[in-house]
Amino acid sequence: MIIPYYKSEDRAFTVLNGDCFELQPQFNFKFDMIFADPPYFLSNDGISVQAGKIVSVNKGEWDRGGSPDEINDFNKRWIGLCREKLKDDGTIWISGTYHNIFSVANSLTELGFKILNVVTWAKTNPPPNISCRYFTYSTEFIIWARKSAKKPHRFNYELMKHLNDDKQMTDVWRLPAIAPWEKSCGKHPTQKPLALLTRIILASTSKNAWILDPFAGSSTTGIAANLVGRRYLGIEKEAEFAAISQKRREEIEHFKIYGDYRRKIKDIAKSEVFEPNCFACEDEWFEDLPF
Protein backbone atom coordinates (compact mmCIF):
# COMPACT_ATOMS: atom_id res chain seq x y z
CA MET A 1 0.00 0.00 0.00
CA ILE A 2 1.31 3.42 -0.96
CA ILE A 3 1.48 5.96 1.86
CA PRO A 4 2.06 9.55 0.69
CA TYR A 5 4.95 11.50 2.16
CA TYR A 6 2.63 14.51 2.15
CA LYS A 7 -0.91 15.23 1.02
CA SER A 8 -2.53 18.64 1.33
CA GLU A 9 -5.88 18.87 3.08
CA ASP A 10 -7.64 19.83 -0.15
CA ARG A 11 -6.08 16.75 -1.89
CA ALA A 12 -4.73 18.96 -4.67
CA PHE A 13 -1.05 18.30 -3.89
CA THR A 14 0.47 14.90 -3.12
CA VAL A 15 4.12 13.88 -2.86
CA LEU A 16 5.43 10.32 -2.74
CA ASN A 17 8.94 9.69 -1.45
CA GLY A 18 10.47 6.91 -3.50
CA ASP A 19 11.68 5.76 -6.89
CA CYS A 20 9.28 6.33 -9.80
CA PHE A 21 10.35 2.98 -11.29
CA GLU A 22 9.05 1.24 -8.17
CA LEU A 23 6.04 3.39 -7.30
CA GLN A 24 4.33 4.03 -10.64
CA PRO A 25 3.52 0.36 -11.35
CA GLN A 26 1.77 0.17 -7.97
CA PHE A 27 -1.20 2.39 -8.82
CA ASN A 28 -3.68 2.67 -11.64
CA PHE A 29 -4.52 6.28 -12.33
CA LYS A 30 -4.46 8.30 -15.55
CA PHE A 31 -3.16 11.87 -15.77
CA ASP A 32 -4.03 14.70 -18.15
CA MET A 33 -0.43 15.90 -18.37
CA ILE A 34 3.03 14.83 -17.29
CA PHE A 35 6.01 17.11 -16.80
CA ALA A 36 9.39 15.47 -16.31
CA ASP A 37 12.77 17.00 -15.54
CA PRO A 38 14.90 13.83 -15.65
CA PRO A 39 18.62 13.67 -14.92
CA TYR A 40 20.67 15.50 -17.55
CA PHE A 41 23.76 13.45 -16.58
CA LEU A 42 25.89 16.57 -16.12
CA SER A 43 27.68 15.64 -12.88
CA ASN A 44 31.15 15.15 -14.34
CA ASP A 45 33.26 16.95 -11.69
CA GLY A 46 33.32 20.18 -13.71
CA ILE A 47 32.72 23.72 -12.46
CA SER A 48 30.26 26.52 -13.18
CA VAL A 49 29.21 29.90 -11.80
CA GLN A 50 26.23 30.65 -9.56
CA ALA A 51 25.54 34.06 -8.01
CA GLY A 52 29.04 35.15 -8.94
CA LYS A 53 30.73 32.19 -7.24
CA ILE A 54 32.53 29.22 -8.80
CA VAL A 55 30.70 26.02 -7.86
CA SER A 56 30.85 22.34 -8.72
CA VAL A 57 28.43 21.10 -11.38
CA ASN A 58 27.88 17.87 -9.45
CA LYS A 59 24.26 17.49 -8.37
CA GLY A 60 24.36 14.01 -6.84
CA GLU A 61 24.78 10.37 -7.75
CA TRP A 62 21.39 10.45 -9.48
CA ASP A 63 22.86 12.83 -12.09
CA ARG A 64 25.99 10.85 -12.96
CA GLY A 65 25.77 9.44 -16.45
CA GLY A 66 26.59 5.98 -17.70
CA SER A 67 27.28 4.73 -21.20
CA PRO A 68 25.08 5.92 -24.09
CA ASP A 69 23.28 2.58 -24.07
CA GLU A 70 22.62 2.84 -20.33
CA ILE A 71 21.24 6.36 -20.70
CA ASN A 72 19.01 5.30 -23.59
CA ASP A 73 17.71 2.36 -21.58
CA PHE A 74 17.02 4.59 -18.57
CA ASN A 75 15.03 7.08 -20.67
CA LYS A 76 13.04 4.43 -22.48
CA ARG A 77 12.09 2.71 -19.21
CA TRP A 78 10.80 5.79 -17.37
CA ILE A 79 9.04 7.21 -20.42
CA GLY A 80 7.37 3.83 -20.95
CA LEU A 81 6.06 3.89 -17.38
CA CYS A 82 4.75 7.42 -17.91
CA ARG A 83 2.95 6.37 -21.08
CA GLU A 84 0.94 3.88 -19.04
CA LYS A 85 -0.15 6.66 -16.66
CA LEU A 86 -1.21 9.15 -19.35
CA LYS A 87 -4.76 9.55 -20.64
CA ASP A 88 -5.25 8.77 -24.32
CA ASP A 89 -5.54 12.49 -25.14
CA GLY A 90 -2.83 13.49 -22.67
CA THR A 91 0.52 15.11 -23.33
CA ILE A 92 3.99 14.93 -21.82
CA TRP A 93 6.62 17.66 -21.49
CA ILE A 94 10.26 16.68 -20.93
CA SER A 95 13.09 19.14 -20.29
CA GLY A 96 16.75 18.67 -21.13
CA THR A 97 19.95 19.91 -22.73
CA TYR A 98 21.94 18.40 -25.57
CA HIS A 99 23.34 15.91 -23.03
CA ASN A 100 20.07 13.96 -22.83
CA ILE A 101 17.41 15.47 -25.09
CA PHE A 102 18.27 13.47 -28.22
CA SER A 103 17.96 10.21 -26.30
CA VAL A 104 14.63 11.41 -24.89
CA ALA A 105 13.33 12.29 -28.37
CA ASN A 106 14.32 8.89 -29.76
CA SER A 107 12.65 7.11 -26.84
CA LEU A 108 9.42 9.05 -27.33
CA THR A 109 9.33 8.16 -31.02
CA GLU A 110 10.09 4.48 -30.40
CA LEU A 111 7.30 4.30 -27.80
CA GLY A 112 4.66 5.70 -30.18
CA PHE A 113 4.41 9.32 -29.03
CA LYS A 114 3.91 12.13 -31.52
CA ILE A 115 6.31 15.02 -30.90
CA LEU A 116 4.41 18.32 -31.20
CA ASN A 117 7.09 20.91 -30.44
CA VAL A 118 10.58 21.31 -29.10
CA VAL A 119 10.38 24.51 -27.08
CA THR A 120 13.60 26.44 -26.61
CA TRP A 121 13.78 28.12 -23.23
CA ALA A 122 16.11 31.07 -23.78
CA LYS A 123 17.26 32.21 -20.35
CA THR A 124 17.40 35.96 -19.99
CA ASN A 125 19.98 35.71 -17.18
CA PRO A 126 22.26 32.71 -17.92
CA PRO A 127 25.43 32.04 -15.90
CA PRO A 128 28.67 33.14 -17.57
CA ASN A 129 31.00 30.80 -19.43
CA ILE A 130 34.15 30.85 -17.29
CA SER A 131 36.31 28.84 -19.72
CA CYS A 132 35.81 31.34 -22.58
CA ARG A 133 36.39 28.52 -25.06
CA TYR A 134 32.87 28.24 -26.48
CA PHE A 135 29.54 30.08 -26.61
CA THR A 136 27.78 30.65 -23.29
CA TYR A 137 25.11 28.08 -22.55
CA SER A 138 21.83 29.97 -22.28
CA THR A 139 19.12 27.55 -23.40
CA GLU A 140 17.33 24.40 -22.39
CA PHE A 141 14.91 22.38 -24.51
CA ILE A 142 11.47 21.07 -23.61
CA ILE A 143 9.90 18.43 -25.80
CA TRP A 144 6.11 18.43 -25.94
CA ALA A 145 4.53 15.22 -27.20
CA ARG A 146 1.12 13.61 -27.20
CA LYS A 147 0.45 9.98 -26.38
CA SER A 148 -1.27 9.09 -29.62
CA ALA A 149 -0.50 10.18 -33.16
CA LYS A 150 -4.22 10.14 -33.97
CA LYS A 151 -5.92 11.21 -30.74
CA PRO A 152 -6.32 15.04 -30.55
CA HIS A 153 -4.58 16.78 -27.66
CA ARG A 154 -5.47 19.89 -25.70
CA PHE A 155 -3.78 23.13 -26.71
CA ASN A 156 -5.10 26.42 -25.35
CA TYR A 157 -4.13 28.34 -28.46
CA GLU A 158 -6.16 31.49 -27.81
CA LEU A 159 -4.82 31.79 -24.27
CA MET A 160 -1.23 31.43 -25.44
CA LYS A 161 -1.83 34.05 -28.11
CA HIS A 162 -3.31 36.38 -25.50
CA LEU A 163 -0.26 35.90 -23.25
CA ASN A 164 1.93 36.88 -26.21
CA ASP A 165 0.27 40.26 -26.85
CA ASP A 166 -2.25 38.76 -29.29
CA LYS A 167 0.41 37.26 -31.53
CA GLN A 168 0.94 33.57 -32.14
CA MET A 169 3.29 32.24 -29.48
CA THR A 170 6.44 30.72 -30.95
CA ASP A 171 8.47 27.79 -29.67
CA VAL A 172 11.15 30.13 -28.28
CA TRP A 173 10.32 31.30 -24.77
CA ARG A 174 12.43 34.07 -23.25
CA LEU A 175 12.08 33.61 -19.51
CA PRO A 176 14.46 34.21 -16.60
CA ALA A 177 16.01 31.45 -14.54
CA ILE A 178 14.81 30.85 -10.99
CA ALA A 179 14.29 33.96 -8.86
CA PRO A 180 15.49 34.27 -5.22
CA TRP A 181 11.91 34.41 -3.88
CA GLU A 182 11.30 30.92 -5.30
CA LYS A 183 13.95 29.47 -2.96
CA SER A 184 12.43 30.65 0.33
CA CYS A 185 11.94 27.05 1.55
CA GLY A 186 15.25 25.69 0.29
CA LYS A 187 16.81 25.04 -3.08
CA HIS A 188 16.97 22.10 -5.44
CA PRO A 189 20.10 22.05 -7.67
CA THR A 190 18.06 21.79 -10.88
CA GLN A 191 15.01 23.78 -9.80
CA LYS A 192 12.95 25.25 -12.66
CA PRO A 193 11.27 28.69 -12.47
CA LEU A 194 7.56 28.87 -11.73
CA ALA A 195 7.06 31.07 -14.80
CA LEU A 196 8.18 28.21 -17.05
CA LEU A 197 5.98 25.55 -15.46
CA THR A 198 3.00 27.87 -15.28
CA ARG A 199 3.12 28.48 -19.02
CA ILE A 200 3.44 24.77 -19.77
CA ILE A 201 0.45 23.93 -17.59
CA LEU A 202 -1.73 26.75 -18.92
CA ALA A 203 -0.89 25.76 -22.49
CA SER A 204 -1.93 22.13 -22.32
CA THR A 205 -4.47 21.53 -19.53
CA SER A 206 -7.85 22.68 -18.35
CA LYS A 207 -8.90 23.69 -14.87
CA ASN A 208 -8.91 20.76 -12.37
CA ALA A 209 -6.60 18.64 -14.56
CA TRP A 210 -4.34 16.04 -12.94
CA ILE A 211 -0.59 16.46 -13.48
CA LEU A 212 2.17 13.93 -12.73
CA ASP A 213 5.87 14.69 -12.18
CA PRO A 214 7.98 11.50 -11.78
CA PHE A 215 11.16 13.46 -10.89
CA ALA A 216 9.49 16.00 -8.62
CA GLY A 217 12.51 17.64 -6.98
CA SER A 218 11.13 20.52 -4.89
CA SER A 219 7.77 20.30 -6.72
CA THR A 220 7.83 23.46 -8.81
CA THR A 221 5.38 21.60 -11.06
CA GLY A 222 2.99 21.13 -8.17
CA ILE A 223 3.19 24.71 -6.91
CA ALA A 224 2.54 26.02 -10.42
CA ALA A 225 -0.32 23.56 -10.84
CA ASN A 226 -2.04 24.64 -7.63
CA LEU A 227 -1.55 28.32 -8.38
CA VAL A 228 -3.66 27.87 -11.53
CA GLY A 229 -6.24 25.41 -10.17
CA ARG A 230 -4.80 22.08 -11.28
CA ARG A 231 -3.99 18.99 -9.16
CA TYR A 232 -0.65 17.32 -8.72
CA LEU A 233 1.16 14.12 -7.87
CA GLY A 234 4.93 14.28 -7.52
CA ILE A 235 7.33 11.37 -7.00
CA GLU A 236 10.68 12.27 -5.45
CA LYS A 237 13.45 9.85 -4.53
CA GLU A 238 15.28 12.10 -2.08
CA ALA A 239 13.54 12.76 1.27
CA GLU A 240 15.37 16.11 1.55
CA PHE A 241 13.61 17.44 -1.54
CA ALA A 242 10.26 15.88 -0.65
CA ALA A 243 10.46 17.89 2.58
CA ILE A 244 11.08 21.09 0.62
CA SER A 245 8.05 20.25 -1.52
CA GLN A 246 5.88 20.05 1.57
CA LYS A 247 7.20 23.37 2.90
CA ARG A 248 6.56 25.09 -0.43
CA ARG A 249 2.97 23.83 -0.56
CA GLU A 250 2.32 24.87 3.03
CA GLU A 251 3.80 28.28 2.26
CA ILE A 252 1.18 29.11 -0.38
CA GLU A 253 -1.61 28.23 2.05
CA HIS A 254 -0.97 31.71 3.44
CA PHE A 255 -3.33 33.91 1.48
CA LYS A 256 -0.88 36.79 1.14
CA ILE A 257 1.96 34.58 -0.16
CA TYR A 258 -0.42 32.83 -2.54
CA GLY A 259 -1.54 36.21 -3.90
CA ASP A 260 2.01 37.52 -4.13
CA TYR A 261 3.11 34.50 -6.16
CA ARG A 262 0.22 34.88 -8.58
CA ARG A 263 1.04 38.56 -9.07
CA LYS A 264 4.73 37.89 -9.68
CA ILE A 265 4.03 35.38 -12.46
CA LYS A 266 2.90 37.50 -15.39
CA ASP A 267 1.15 34.72 -17.29
CA ILE A 268 -1.21 34.07 -14.38
CA ALA A 269 -2.42 37.66 -14.21
CA LYS A 270 -2.95 37.75 -17.97
CA SER A 271 -4.78 34.40 -17.96
CA GLU A 272 -7.55 35.73 -15.71
CA VAL A 273 -9.47 36.81 -18.81
CA PHE A 274 -9.74 33.16 -19.85
CA GLU A 275 -9.71 31.48 -16.43
CA PRO A 276 -11.26 33.71 -13.76
CA ASN A 277 -10.94 32.45 -10.18
CA CYS A 278 -8.64 29.73 -11.41
CA PHE A 279 -7.73 28.29 -8.01
CA ALA A 280 -10.26 25.48 -8.03
CA CYS A 281 -12.59 24.68 -5.15
CA GLU A 282 -12.55 21.26 -3.53
CA ASP A 283 -16.22 20.78 -4.35
CA GLU A 284 -15.42 20.99 -8.07
CA TRP A 285 -12.99 18.06 -8.06
CA PHE A 286 -14.61 14.78 -8.99
CA GLU A 287 -11.75 12.27 -9.00
CA ASP A 288 -9.00 11.54 -6.54
CA LEU A 289 -5.84 9.48 -6.25
CA PRO A 290 -6.24 5.91 -4.94
CA PHE A 291 -4.11 6.67 -1.85
Side-chain angles (χ1 to χ4, degrees):
M1 179 180 176
I2 294 177
I3 300 176
Y5 178 92
Y6 170 74
K7 192 168 189 174
S8 61
E9 289 187 9
D10 61 9
R11 308 190 307 279
F13 186 104
T14 302
V15 175
L16 306 181
N17 179 208
D19 193 321
C20 64
F21 289 104
E22 298 174 1
L23 290 173
Q24 282 181 225
Q26 294 184 41
F27 62 87
N28 183 24
F29 191 84
K30 302 289 185 180
F31 294 82
D32 300 282
M33 191 203 98
I34 296 172
F35 175 81
D37 186 20
Y40 291 8
F41 305 112
L42 289 172
S43 294
N44 58 6
D45 299 321
I47 57 175
S48 183
V49 173
Q50 286 185 3
K53 298 179 180 179
I54 295 177
V55 297
S56 170
V57 300
N58 292 346
K59 309 294 190 300
E61 287 301 316
W62 51 269
D63 192 52
R64 288 193 177 275
S67 69
D69 286 342
E70 289 171 333
I71 291 173
N72 289 336
D73 178 67
F74 172 83
N75 285 326
K76 196 166 183 179
R77 285 195 299 128
W78 75 258
I79 293 172
L81 288 174
C82 284
R83 183 176 177 83
E84 296 173 5
K85 296 294 178 281
L86 198 59
K87 292 180 180 179
D88 289 342
D89 61 350
T91 58
I92 185 169
W93 299 76
I94 306 173
S95 64
T97 59
Y98 74 87
H99 304 83
N100 73 329
I101 206 68
F102 300 109
S103 172
V104 165
N106 287 335
S107 296
L108 286 167
T109 301
E110 290 176 12
L111 290 168
F113 286 88
K114 177 180 174 59
I115 294 177
L116 302 167
N117 282 111
V118 180
V119 171
T120 299
W121 169 28
K123 301 175 186 178
T124 56
N125 55 343
N129 168 17
I130 59 176
S131 74
C132 302
R133 299 179 66 182
Y134 39 76
F135 298 110
T136 300
Y137 294 119
S138 62
T139 61
E140 292 189 35
F141 307 104
I142 308 155
I143 296 177
W144 183 32
R146 71 186 188 198
K147 182 176 181 178
S148 171
K150 296 182 179 180
K151 188 78 173 179
H153 63 283
R154 184 176 187 88
F155 176 44
N156 297 322
Y157 168 80
E158 292 296 338
L159 173 56
M160 291 299 102
K161 185 178 178 182
H162 175 72
L163 297 183
N164 196 44
D165 298 325
D166 293 322
K167 300 175 183 177
Q168 285 189 332
M169 186 174 287
T170 73
D171 59 1
V172 177
W173 296 356
R174 292 176 176 81
L175 297 169
I178 181 172
W181 57 269
E182 299 182 61
K183 297 176 280 188
S184 58
C185 298
K187 182 185 176 183
H188 187 278
T190 64
Q191 188 170 330
K192 296 295 182 288
L194 280 166
L196 179 68
L197 268 298
T198 298
R199 181 171 294 181
I200 286 171
I201 291 167
L202 288 174
S204 56
T205 64
S206 59
K207 189 176 174 181
N208 296 323
W210 270 106
I211 298 168
L212 170 67
D213 188 335
F215 304 101
S218 60
S219 290
T220 296
T221 305
I223 300 301
N226 282 186
L227 287 173
V228 294
R230 275 72 166 169
R231 294 169 290 171
Y232 164 78
L233 171 65
I235 302 174
E236 173 49 43
K237 192 173 182 179
E238 304 293 334
E240 172 191 358
F241 300 133
I244 294 175
S245 296
Q246 178 177 347
K247 291 177 182 176
R248 294 185 76 190
R249 180 54 173 81
E250 290 173 345
E251 182 181 56
I252 64 168
E253 289 178 4
H254 297 278
F255 184 77
K256 183 181 184 303
I257 295 176
Y258 167 75
D260 286 345
Y261 274 32
R262 284 174 53 84
R263 282 187 291 273
K264 288 176 179 178
I265 302 170
K266 295 179 181 179
D267 283 358
I268 294 182
K270 283 186 143 185
S271 71
E272 290 290 341
V273 175
F274 287 80
E275 292 191 341
N277 302 317
C278 61
F279 190 65
C281 298
E282 181 180 339
D283 293 342
E284 296 175 323
W285 296 348
F286 302 106
E287 55 182 339
D288 200 2
L289 294 167
F291 43 79

